[in-house]
Amino acid sequence: MGRHKRNRQHDLVSGVSPEGKSGKLDHSSRPEGSAVDTSFTRRSLLKIGVPTVAILGAGCVLSKYIGMRNILHLLGIEDEEPQSSSSVVSGDVAPVDKREADILRTDEMIKKIETGFARWKSIVLLGIENQIQDPSMKEQLTNPFLLMEINSGNSQKNYLRGEDGRMTLPNPNYFFFRFRDIDSYEAEFSPVERTISVPPGFDPENILDFLVLYHELSHVAQDNGERKTIQSEAQYSEYLRFYEVKPPDEPNVILNYELSAYGLEIELLNLLLDGELKRKIARDEALDAFDIAQRLKVRKDQEPLLDLILSLAISYYPEGQTKKGYTHRFFKAVFENPAYTGKNLFIRHPDGRKERWTPQR
């Protein structure tokens, strides 16, 4: 279950590194006052899960380094009013029923998301290739981009087109998009539905919205790995039982999935900031949240999200992800995220077992 209020295994969490420096988050320069039901057959889902293929690294060869400091300039991001995606009926044109209008609107937004994500990919892969030395980290950072590229060939990616129950996914890497009235900057991934839900105001050209989608795509990759282990009807029933939690019950959250998704999100933001996060935290220097928000053109509604990511970054660096996993400091920062208050927290072991986890007092 991925929900960005924001995949490593449990043994990685238990291996810890020295605590290191704690870092600081500085808001001093900020002015005062700123601040599930499936839509396709379960048997078809089982068939999707069993043959899930591994996603290979990009293997791209880049011979020229382009500094990440120029990202905003290269992307040509301007302060423009977003265009309305609502349908306008004028003259003698017959009105379109609400469902059809929603389908067309979703089609339009998916195209914008794919175009925006491709632009980010063209910039970010340069940094991944030239600044990330560890092959495993390179592959992990690249996988969400590959998933988005693969899904571009999915003619059924609009979730609304499959609500009649007849939709199937011919490629195990495919997933759906839908738009729902969830919190302004939040997105979520539903494993059972293989669906990423984003808010109506999602802007694929916005850096934080891009990072939110990247986080959820990390959960798609994790779900690929979990589905690959499903070999029987009984295992699939257990998969459904775990993820098909309906209100008023709280959803189940796999903590090591969240550790990985947030870690990759932080690594990507660090690349976009030309290594500033890791460099300053390693030196025990304060992060200027307001300055970073200005440079990234963060919307006011996104300020809490930026604060969360920067706070987690302070716990993630300077060690980051190591061969032993993550520090207890980062683990603690993630599970203390208020978004997980009251949720059912689990650790997924290398053998696939999910163990209920409660913080030690």
Side-chain angles (χ1 to χ4, degrees), residues 341-361:
T341 301
K343 303 293 191 298
N344 303 312
L345 306 179
F346 289 80
I347 294 293
R348 186 171 188 267
H349 293 275
D351 61 4
R353 288 182 301 111
K354 299 182 179 76
E355 179 184 357
R356 185 70 179 266
W357 183 88
T358 54
Q360 296 179 351
R361 301 299 179 186

Side-chain angles (χ1 to χ4, degrees), residues 9-256:
Q9 316 295 0
H10 178 52
D11 59 330
L12 298 184
V13 175
S14 62
V16 297
S17 305
E19 287 297 69
K21 301 177 181 179
S22 61
K24 297 180 283 292
L25 187 59
D26 179 23
H27 294 85
S28 59
S29 59
R30 175 176 292 173
E32 183 178 355
S34 67
V36 194
D37 292 330
T38 59
S39 61
F40 33 83
T41 66
R42 292 183 175 184
R43 180 164 294 277
S44 69
L45 264 177
L46 176 59
K47 291 179 180 178
I48 294 166
V50 173
T52 302
V53 297
I55 299 185
L56 302 178
C60 53
V61 178
L62 301 169
S63 59
K64 187 175 181 181
Y65 169 71
I66 298 179
M68 301 305 289
R69 204 173 271 121
N70 296 317
I71 286 171
L72 294 177
H73 174 70
L74 288 171
L75 290 173
I77 297 177
E78 304 292 344
D79 290 319
E80 296 178 351
E81 288 293 324
Q83 295 182 354
S84 172
S85 59
S86 59
S87 301
V88 178
V89 179
S90 60
D92 298 327
V93 179
V96 181
D97 66 74
K98 183 180 185 303
R99 174 173 168 77
E100 183 62 23
D102 288 343
I103 290 175
L104 295 175
R105 172 176 170 269
T106 303
D107 283 340
E108 179 185 350
M109 283 303 299
I110 290 174
K111 289 180 181 178
K112 290 181 179 179
I113 286 176
E114 289 178 336
T115 300
F117 205 82
R119 293 181 66 194
W120 285 113
K121 175 185 174 182
S122 67
I123 299 298
V124 170
L125 287 187
L126 295 173
I128 293 174
E129 181 67 20
N130 289 282
Q131 298 186 44
I132 303 298
Q133 303 302 317
D134 179 60
S136 175
M137 178 59 73
K138 279 188 177 182
E139 182 176 355
Q140 292 176 67
L141 287 168
T142 303
N143 277 344
F145 293 102
L146 297 180
L147 278 170
M148 181 65 85
E149 183 178 338
I150 292 170
N151 201 59
S152 65
N154 178 10
S155 62
Q156 305 175 104
K157 67 192 75 169
N158 186 338
Y159 177 90
L160 295 180
R161 295 188 180 279
E163 288 187 332
D164 58 5
R166 293 177 298 179
M167 181 172 286
T168 58
L169 290 171
N171 186 315
N173 293 294
Y174 282 173
F175 56 91
F176 304 109
F177 278 107
R178 72 182 300 183
F179 297 88
R180 295 191 297 191
D181 292 327
I182 53 183
D183 295 347
S184 59
Y185 61 80
E186 290 182 2
E188 65 180 2
F189 172 64
S190 169
V192 171
E193 296 179 327
R194 281 291 284 186
T195 300
I196 292 178
S197 300
V198 296
F202 186 87
D203 178 6
E205 301 293 341
N206 176 277
I207 288 182
L208 284 195
D209 279 347
F210 158 68
L211 289 174
V212 164
L213 177 56
Y214 181 88
H215 179 114
E216 300 310 321
L217 285 165
S218 299
H219 289 315
V220 176
Q222 292 161 351
D223 187 55
N224 278 9
E226 187 163 346
R227 285 171 180 268
K228 191 176 181 180
T229 67
I230 298 175
Q231 301 295 329
S232 68
E233 292 279 1
Q235 289 177 327
Y236 183 63
S237 295
E238 175 60 24
Y239 172 90
L240 289 177
R241 184 200 64 75
F242 184 82
Y243 287 112
E244 276 190 327
V245 179
K246 301 179 184 300
D249 294 335
E250 291 289 348
N252 297 324
V253 175
I254 299 181
L255 274 175
N256 36 343

